[in-house]
Amino acid sequence: QLQLQESGPGLVRPSETLSLTCTVSGGPIRSSSYYWGWIRQPPGKGLEWIGVLYYTGNTYYNPSLKSRVTISIDTSKNQFSLRLSSVTAADTSVYYCARHDGSGSYGYWGQGILVTVSS
Amino acid sequence: QSALTQPASVSGSPGQSITISCTETSSDVGDYYYVSWYQQHPGKAPKLMIFDVSNRPSGVSNRFSGSKSGSTASLTISGLQAEDEADYYCSSYTSSSTFFGGGTKLTVL
């Protein structure tokens, strides 16, 4: 059974960079069938797509976040990562990693990690 | 403002059927062929309920069904149960982006 698990600091200071890692178990991240993505959800609000990456390193980002986002992959560790720079309080959210299949749906999700931006 | 518009809330009694709509309001959404639906209980990660407009993943109850007509996709839940009370999100996929609707809170009366 495929499992995804987010990890990283739960508190980030304003203007700094948020860094999270998603560890994938139960299947290879180096797969031609899937993309790997990040989605976030501010407290009490809806889902916001951040971006996805293919195992080759190709990435697609939400245009509204593109200037601040980097998603990368480490196939040797079966992990992929999110970096979001110059964070503000508006970036406070639960961040989810998820597997994106060919039809654009996300069938497997991590449990989510709350990241708070505060001084 | 989301490119996919959902009603903020819907409600129904146990045993009844309800339908949640998801209307494309932006050309950025693309051809709107790849529509998915997610169920989210409080404090939990979203769960995929429908993909490719009308397909159910393995393990999802056949009480959940999806359809699309023009620019509006719909999720129908039949035989409503208390456990169906949750937030529901539609999403649409293009070759380079994913869009989510604003979400609909389903209350089982």
Side-chain angles (χ1 to χ4, degrees):
Chain A
Q1 176 76 349
L2 191 77
Q3 292 186 321
L4 293 83
Q5 178 69 58
E6 305 89 351
S7 60
L11 179 64
V12 180
R13 299 192 185 282
S15 80
E16 295 188 345
T17 296
L18 178 159
S19 295
L20 297 174
T21 296
C22 182
T23 301
V24 179
S25 59
I29 198 170
R30 189 182 177 88
S31 169
S32 60
S33 300
Y34 307 108
Y35 283 73
W36 304 92
W38 289 95
I39 296 143
R40 70 180 184 178
Q41 185 172 35
K45 297 187 178 180
L47 302 171
E48 181 180 27
W49 180 73
I50 299 173
V52 290
L53 139 154
Y54 197 52
Y55 80 95
T56 56
N58 287 356
T59 53
Y60 299 96
Y61 299 134
N62 185 324
S64 69
L65 299 171
K66 187 174 183 177
S67 64
R68 299 193 291 130
V69 171
T70 302
I71 299 177
S72 59
I73 194 168
D74 186 338
T75 55
S76 67
K77 295 182 179 179
N78 233 37
Q79 295 176 334
F80 62 105
S81 299
L82 169 70
R83 288 173 57 85
L84 180 66
S85 63
S86 304
V87 296
T88 69
D91 294 309
T92 294
S93 292
V94 174
Y95 286 78
Y96 295 101
C97 60
R99 191 183 79 176
H100 170 288
D101 68 26
S103 66
S105 57
Y106 291 87
Y108 290 91
W109 295 66
Q111 66 183 24
I113 182 170
L114 173 63
V115 179
T116 301
V117 178
S118 175
S119 56
Chain B
Q1 186 174 356
S2 176
L4 299 174
T5 299
Q6 300 180 230
S9 63
V10 299
S11 63
S13 299
Q16 290 185 332
S17 294
I18 63 96
T19 296
I20 300 172
S21 62
C22 174
T23 301
E24 171 195 6
T25 56
S26 169
S27 59
D28 290 340
V29 172
D31 293 334
Y32 204 39
Y33 290 142
Y34 299 110
V35 179
S36 302
W37 289 91
Y38 300 87
Q39 175 192 65
Q40 186 181 35
H41 288 109
K44 300 296 185 181
K47 174 186 177 183
L48 179 65
M49 305 302 284
I50 297 287
F51 67 96
D52 285 358
V53 176
S54 60
N55 293 289
R56 278 188 310 275
S58 174
V60 172
S61 170
N62 59 10
R63 297 186 299 105
F64 292 82
S65 62
S67 63
K68 189 170 78 72
S69 177
S71 61
T72 298
S74 299
L75 172 70
T76 298
I77 307 173
S78 59
L80 209 57
Q81 300 179 359
E83 67 202 49
D84 299 332
E85 184 163 296
D87 293 326
Y88 291 84
Y89 295 90
C90 62
S91 78
S92 179
Y93 164 70
T94 71
S95 59
S96 59
S97 291
T98 294
F99 298 87
F100 286 102
T104 298
K105 181 176 180 58
L106 168 62
T107 300
V108 180
L109 302 171

